[in-house]
Amino acid sequence: MDFALTQEHELIRESAQKFAEHEIKPTIAELDLQHTSDPTTLKKMGEAGLLGIGIPAKYGGTDTDYISLGLVCEELERGDTSARVVMSVHSGLHCMTLLQWGTEEQKHRWLPDLASGKKVGAFGLTEPNAGSDAINIKTVAKKDGDHYVINGQKTWISLADYADQFLIITKLAETDAKAPYAAFIMDRNTPGFSSRPLKGKLGVRAGNTGEIFFQDMRVPADCMLGQEGDGFKVAMSALDHGRYTVAAGAVGIITACLDACVPYCNDRIVGTEPIGKKQLVQQMIASMAKGRDIGRLLYYQVGWMKNTGQRHTREVSMAKWVNCEAAFDAANKAVEIHGAYGFSAEFPVERYFRNSRGAMIYEGTHEIHTLVQAEYALGYRSDKPLAQNLPTYPFES
Ligand code: CAA
C-alpha cells in the first residue's frame, strides 16, 4: 500500500492552488455578495488545462489520473465552491460519464473540445418533482426515425446558462427495455432548448445554476450514451464521479476554514493570550484537522479505486457523506471561532458556512447517503462489478 502522492500530483495540486489564489480569491467576495458568476473563470480554467484533467491524451486530455481530479477539486474549493462546481459538472458528471459509457466514436467526437475547454459540459437529472427520487423523472424521449423527440424540464442545473452541451437523463415513451430510461448528450443550440437562471440561493452565489427546458427537441439517436434501458445506470455512474469531486472539494472547504482560523486564533488576544491558547478553541481546530485528514484518506481511496477500475459506489457515497458533514461542521466552528466577525461578509467563513450547506443536499442528500450506507451494511444493497468501467490508469495510448 502506497499513500504517497507522485511528483506529478504535487505539481497539479500546486498549479490548482495557484489558480485559486490568482483567479478566484481576489474577486470572489464581491461576486458572491452580488450573486454574480464570472464566465471568464470558465475560460481561464480551460486555458489552465484544468478542464482536461482525468481525460486520456488520445481524447485530447492531460493524461492525468483520477486522483489528480480530486486534488484539483480540493484546491479549487479552497478558493470557492463555485469553481469546484465547474469541475464537478464538467469533468465529473459530464466528461467522466462520457469516458465510461461512450463508444470510441462518441469519445472522439466530444472529448477533445471538452478537454481543451472549447466546449463546456453539464448534467441534467433532477426535476421539480424528482430529486432524491430520481427514478420518477418525467422528461420523456420518443423515438422518431433516427432521432428522439424530447419534452420536459430539469432544475438545479449547474452551468445551465453557460454549458455548450448537457448529459440528460430521460424516460422512454416506448421501449422494450426492462428499465425505461435513456441518457443523451445534447447540444444547447438544438431547437426547442431553453434555459433560465435560478436566483436567491443560500450559497454558491458565484456559481451559475438554472433550469433547462426541452420542447419537441429532436436529438439524433447517435447521441444516446449506452443503449435504451441504460439511462438510470448512466445517471448513477455519473453520480459516482460527481460525488467524488464533491467529497474532494469538501476537504478544500475544511482547509479554507483552517486557513482563516489559524491566523485569527494567533492574532486575536483575549485577556493576555491569543484565543488559540484556549482549550475550547483548540478543540474546534483539532476537529477541523481531523475532518481534513479523514476526508483526504476517503477521497484518495476512491481515486485509487477509479484508477484501478474497481466499482466504488459504496465508497464514494461514504466519502461524500462524511466529508460534506465534516465541511459543514468545520465551517460552523469557523464562524464560532470568529465570533461576531464570523457573522459578517467581511470575513470568508460565513461564505464557507453557506456553501458547505449546499453540498449536504446536492449529489445525494445527507439522508440518501445515510440510507445507502445502512443498506450496504445490512446486506440489502449489492456492489456487483459494473459492465462498464472508466478506463484504468495509466491510460492506453
Ligand atoms: N453505476 C452503474 N449502475 C448502477 C449504479 C452505479 N453507480 N448504481 C446502481 N446501478 C444500477 C443497479 O445495478 C441497478 O441495475 P440492475 O437492476 O440491472 O441491477 C439499477 O442501476 C438501479 O439501481 P438501484 O436498485 O441501486 O436503484 P435504487 O432505485 O435503489 O436507487 C437511490 C435509489 C440510490 C436512492 C438513487 O435513486 C439515488 O442515488 N438517488 C439520489 C439521486 C441524487 O443524488 N440526485 C442528485 C442530483 S444530481 C446533482 O445534484 C448534480 C447537480 O446539482 C449539478
Side-chain angles (χ1 to χ4, degrees):
M1 196 178 286
D2 185 354
F3 285 96
L5 293 179
T6 63
Q7 204 182 1
E8 186 180 45
H9 288 143
E10 294 295 357
L11 286 171
I12 288 167
R13 178 195 280 285
E14 205 181 308
S15 70
Q17 195 179 346
K18 280 193 184 139
F19 186 89
E21 221 35 73
H22 297 301
E23 307 293 351
I24 300 169
K25 285 190 184 175
T27 51
I28 192 60
E30 191 54 29
L31 288 171
D32 190 80
L33 207 58
Q34 302 301 334
H35 292 243
T36 306
S37 51
D38 177 4
T40 65
T41 309
L42 259 181
K43 194 167 170 283
K44 287 178 191 160
M45 286 172 79
E47 285 162 3
L50 297 175
L51 302 183
I53 294 278
I55 298 177
K58 69 172 170 178
Y59 306 123
T62 54
D63 226 29
T64 42
D65 71 350
Y66 306 112
I67 292 177
S68 307
L69 175 60
L71 294 171
V72 167
C73 290
E74 181 186 334
E75 290 303 333
L76 291 183
E77 187 141 17
R78 199 170 162 187
D80 189 61
T81 301
S82 56
R84 190 271 305 152
V85 167
V86 171
M87 296 301 293
S88 293
V89 172
H90 170 90
S91 303
L93 293 164
H94 193 100
C95 294
M96 293 298 116
T97 314
L98 174 52
L99 200 52
Q100 181 177 356
W101 283 88
T103 61
E104 271 309 295
E105 186 280 319
Q106 287 176 324
K107 291 189 235 191
H108 282 289
R109 193 190 324 167
W110 286 308
L111 283 172
D113 280 353
L114 291 162
S116 67
K118 193 170 161 195
K119 294 236 165 115
V120 172
F123 177 68
L125 169 64
T126 301
E127 297 182 1
N129 292 310
S132 295
D133 189 19
I135 204 98
N136 272 319
I137 55 171
K138 297 278 182 283
T139 293
V140 68
K142 187 170 180 194
K143 188 113 198 267
D144 181 20
D146 55 2
H147 282 70
Y148 283 83
V149 180
I150 301 179
N151 280 287
Q153 84 178 82
K154 302 282 175 186
T155 192
W156 289 108
I157 305 305
S158 304
L159 304 179
D161 298 310
Y162 298 144
D164 299 284
Q165 58 190 57
F166 296 82
L167 164 57
I168 58 164
I169 312 298
T170 73
K171 284 201 88 164
L172 285 163
E174 297 150 3
T175 181
D176 296 331
K178 186 179 92 179
Y181 299 90
F184 298 92
I185 301 253
M186 49 123 325
D187 194 291
R188 81 170 300 121
N189 294 320
T190 312
F193 174 88
S194 59
S195 72
R196 180 168 74 193
L198 280 168
K199 300 282 182 200
K201 289 179 294 178
L202 172 71
V204 203
R205 291 177 175 171
N208 171 255
T209 312
E211 294 175 284
I212 55 177
F213 303 89
F214 322 122
Q215 194 179 3
D216 293 329
M217 191 176 72
R218 291 179 69 79
V219 175
D222 69 0
C223 292
M224 184 184 284
L225 273 196
Q227 308 295 320
E228 283 200 357
D230 285 338
F232 194 72
K233 293 183 190 187
V234 173
M236 292 296 115
S237 335
L239 292 171
D240 283 350
H241 310 315
R243 288 169 180 171
Y244 171 62
T245 61
V246 176
V251 177
I253 292 209
I254 302 174
T255 310
C257 290
L258 283 163
D259 292 341
C261 288
V262 169
Y264 188 83
C265 286
N266 286 316
D267 293 346
R268 178 81 175 167
I269 308 292
V270 170
T272 55
E273 60 181 9
I275 61 166
K277 296 284 180 186
K278 309 279 182 202
Q279 287 186 342
L280 287 179
V281 171
Q282 289 182 354
Q283 192 175 37
M284 291 193 267
I285 295 289
S287 162
M288 291 181 200
K290 181 172 77 174
R292 177 197 59 199
D293 287 8
I294 292 172
R296 278 201 185 126
L297 289 174
L298 285 172
Y299 95 73
Y300 287 178
Q301 181 199 16
V302 176
W304 166 76
M305 292 179 86
K306 284 183 184 292
N307 280 349
T308 49
Q310 300 177 64
R311 181 169 184 177
H312 48 273
T313 310
R314 183 184 74 78
E315 290 79 2
V316 80
S317 156
M318 179 69 87
K320 196 271 178 187
W321 178 40
V322 171
N323 292 6
C324 292
E325 278 194 358
F328 183 60
D329 185 58
N332 189 27
K333 288 185 163 72
V335 169
E336 189 73 20
I337 286 172
H338 281 72
Y341 290 122
F343 203 63
S344 157
E346 208 182 314
F347 284 76
V349 292
E350 64 86 36
R351 177 163 49 88
Y352 304 153
F353 179 78
R354 290 185 286 101
N355 286 350
S356 60
R357 187 63 186 85
M360 284 163 70
I361 302 171
Y362 53 70
E363 306 239 15
T365 60
H366 165 88
E367 288 75 16
I368 285 292
H369 292 292
T370 307
L371 293 177
V372 164
Q373 291 305 322
E375 287 171 8
Y376 275 120
L378 288 161
Y380 302 161
R381 187 168 277 280
S382 99
D383 233 355
K384 61 182 184 211
L386 298 171
Q388 249 89 12
N389 278 308
L390 281 173
T392 53
Y393 189 84
F395 299 130
E396 277 175 14
S397 46

